[in-house]
């Protein structure tokens, strides 16, 4: 039994390592059959560990998801609710445009009344909701703006710019433009230390 568990763990790690490389090369449409062939296991073994494409992709991006959640927790210590929320949104968009397939993972998850706490969107909602509530309290965003509104905005920007010659710059620019519609305050939409077109206050 111990040997079987060890074999299962080795298979899991080998499949995941191959999947990370294949997703980096081919995005969310990476072939599970190809992953199985490269990993030297059967397709049934891949599906036993990862029953759906989404569960496979979530595993591929798990470490970065945890990093973004931790970033949200760190930003909760910043006094300015607007700066904290915008910093996190920029971090999310920048990663989504730099990691092929990640935006597609999030686009698989429409809002639900009871989001799965283990899903990428569920983890992000738990981490980012305190930032959103504080931004609303500080009158930095309109009270009707929801987590899923912001997630959909970020995913849309990432998907729209992934084939741009400079996707990160274009995605940042589009998020900056969008912020003018979700935030009643004037001023920068860029994280502290950055510079960008939104640093200039719009004309009265």
């Amino acid at each position: 039994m111990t040997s079987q568990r060890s074999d299962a763990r080795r298979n899991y790690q080998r499949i995941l390592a191959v999947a990370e490389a294949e997703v980096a090369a081919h995005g969310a449409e990476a072939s599970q059959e190809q992953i199985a062939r490269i990993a030297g296991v059967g397709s049934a073994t891949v599906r036993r560990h990862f029953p759906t494409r989404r569960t496979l992709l979530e595993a591929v991006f798990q470490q970065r998801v945890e990093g973004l959640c931790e970033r949200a927790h760190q930003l909760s210590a910043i006094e300015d609710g607007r700066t904290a929320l915008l910093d996190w949104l920029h971090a999310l968009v920048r990663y989504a445009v730099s990691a092929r397939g990640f935006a597609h993972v999030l686009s698989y998850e429409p809002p639900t009344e009871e989001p799965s706490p283990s899903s990428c969107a569920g983890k992000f909602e738990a981490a980012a909701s305190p930032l959103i509530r504080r931004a609303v309290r500080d009158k930095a965003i309109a009270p009707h703006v929801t987590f899923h509104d912001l997630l959909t905005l970020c995913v849309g920007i990432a998907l729209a710019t992934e084939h741009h010659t400079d996707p990160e710059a274009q995605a940042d620019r589009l998020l900056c433009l969008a912020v003018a519609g979700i935030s009643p305050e004037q001023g920068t939409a860029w994280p502290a230390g950055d510079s960008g077109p939104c640093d200039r206050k719009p004309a009265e």
Side-chain angles (χ1 to χ4, degrees):
M1 183 66 69
T2 300
S3 176
Q4 290 177 342
R5 285 197 296 266
S6 297
D7 288 344
R9 283 195 297 269
R10 282 194 294 270
N11 282 340
Y12 178 91
Q13 293 301 330
R14 185 161 61 249
I15 293 167
L16 185 57
V18 171
E20 288 172 348
E22 287 296 294
V23 171
H26 304 290
E29 298 307 312
S31 167
Q32 289 176 282
E33 288 71 22
Q34 177 70 358
I35 290 170
R37 282 194 293 271
I38 297 174
V41 299
S43 296
T45 300
V46 173
R47 289 185 170 82
R48 184 162 58 249
H49 288 289
F50 306 103
T52 66
R53 179 179 297 275
R54 192 173 85 181
T55 57
L56 176 63
L57 291 171
E58 286 180 341
V60 166
F61 296 117
Q62 179 180 357
Q63 185 173 0
R64 185 56 184 178
V65 168
E66 292 174 353
L68 286 168
C69 289
E70 178 58 28
R71 180 61 179 157
H73 297 321
Q74 293 170 353
L75 288 167
S76 65
I78 294 179
E79 291 185 6
D80 186 334
R82 184 174 188 270
T83 297
L85 177 60
L86 293 178
D87 189 311
W88 190 79
L89 292 177
H90 277 283
L92 174 60
V93 167
R94 287 171 179 171
Y95 181 66
V97 297
S98 67
R100 294 189 65 182
F102 185 60
H104 289 82
V105 174
L106 297 177
S107 72
Y108 290 163
E109 300 188 53
T112 62
E113 292 184 2
E114 297 183 4
S116 169
S118 63
S119 70
C120 292
K123 291 177 180 178
F124 282 157
E125 183 169 10
S129 289
L131 299 180
I132 295 171
R133 287 195 296 269
R134 188 173 60 169
V136 170
R137 183 196 65 199
D138 293 349
K139 296 181 170 44
I141 61 173
H144 61 270
V145 175
T146 69
F147 164 78
H148 283 284
D149 291 335
L150 298 178
L151 182 64
T152 301
L153 174 66
C154 291
V155 168
I157 288 173
L159 292 174
T161 58
E162 62 182 353
H163 299 301
H164 196 271
T165 53
D166 188 350
E168 183 175 306
Q170 181 67 359
D172 265 344
R173 178 178 179 275
L174 291 176
L175 180 57
C176 178
L177 293 173
V179 164
I182 65 171
S183 175
E185 293 186 10
Q186 295 180 346
T188 180
W190 295 78
D194 269 342
S195 60
C198 292
D199 285 330
R200 297 184 295 275
K201 291 185 177 181
E204 296 291 342

